[in-house]
Amino acid sequence: MLLHLKIIGGLLIFLSLFHVIIPGYLDWKRDLKPLSLMNRQMMQTHMIFIAITVFAIGLLCFTSGKELTTTPLGRKICLGLSVFWMLRLLFQFFVYSPKLWRGKRFETVIHIAAVGFWTYMTVVFYLAAG
């Protein structure tokens, strides 16, 4: 289990750093321009804090796997993270439209990788919650 938490930690840290290129890839400069200043800055701020939170969860998993799996608080955190990533998995299917990835090679690969990653984390955190 500790190895899986280290893997998840490393992947989450990578995912958090990946957020640096997302605004450019999605052309946020153009797409967010019509929004009010408040909404534009809220989108940008939320993206930054999502990246920071994902980084913190990754760091926690990478450095504190033993505590996550052997203490009552750690197991509760794992259960919470399992529910969190399960909800994220459900959003992948029921909130994001398939129009965003169907027929697009790169987006389909990202969709499949995301489904695999969200599933992996849901299961590992659930098992770690023991």
Side-chain angles (χ1 to χ4, degrees):
M1 189 59 56
L2 295 179
L3 175 62
H4 290 289
L5 289 174
K6 279 201 182 290
I7 291 169
I8 286 172
L11 290 172
L12 286 174
I13 290 168
F14 172 78
L15 178 61
S16 73
L17 298 174
F18 185 71
H19 279 72
V20 171
I21 67 168
I22 290 173
Y25 178 76
L26 296 178
D27 199 9
W28 273 21
K29 192 172 202 160
R30 178 190 52 126
D31 286 350
L32 297 181
K33 195 172 188 170
L35 297 179
S36 69
L37 179 61
M38 172 60 90
N39 284 326
R40 185 170 52 251
Q41 289 184 342
M42 197 169 7
M43 290 289 294
Q44 293 164 337
T45 300
H46 283 181
M47 171 71 119
I48 290 166
F49 278 90
I50 287 168
I52 291 168
T53 301
V54 169
F55 183 86
I57 294 169
L59 195 59
L60 178 68
C61 292
F62 197 78
T63 63
S64 304
K66 184 176 180 186
E67 292 84 352
L68 287 171
T69 59
T70 60
T71 67
L73 177 59
R75 288 191 294 274
K76 287 175 186 170
I77 290 170
C78 286
L79 182 60
L81 289 171
S82 179
V83 170
F84 177 86
W85 292 113
M86 179 194 62
L87 291 171
R88 180 59 185 86
L89 176 62
L90 293 174
F91 269 58
Q92 194 72 24
F93 289 110
F94 300 112
V95 174
Y96 286 106
S97 171
K99 293 177 186 176
L100 296 171
W101 57 270
R102 267 200 196 127
K104 302 173 187 174
R105 181 176 295 224
F106 178 74
E107 288 82 353
T108 299
V109 168
I110 295 298
H111 171 73
I112 292 168
V115 167
F117 190 36
W118 309 151
T119 302
Y120 176 59
M121 287 193 291
T122 298
V123 171
V124 168
F125 284 123
Y126 179 77
L127 293 174

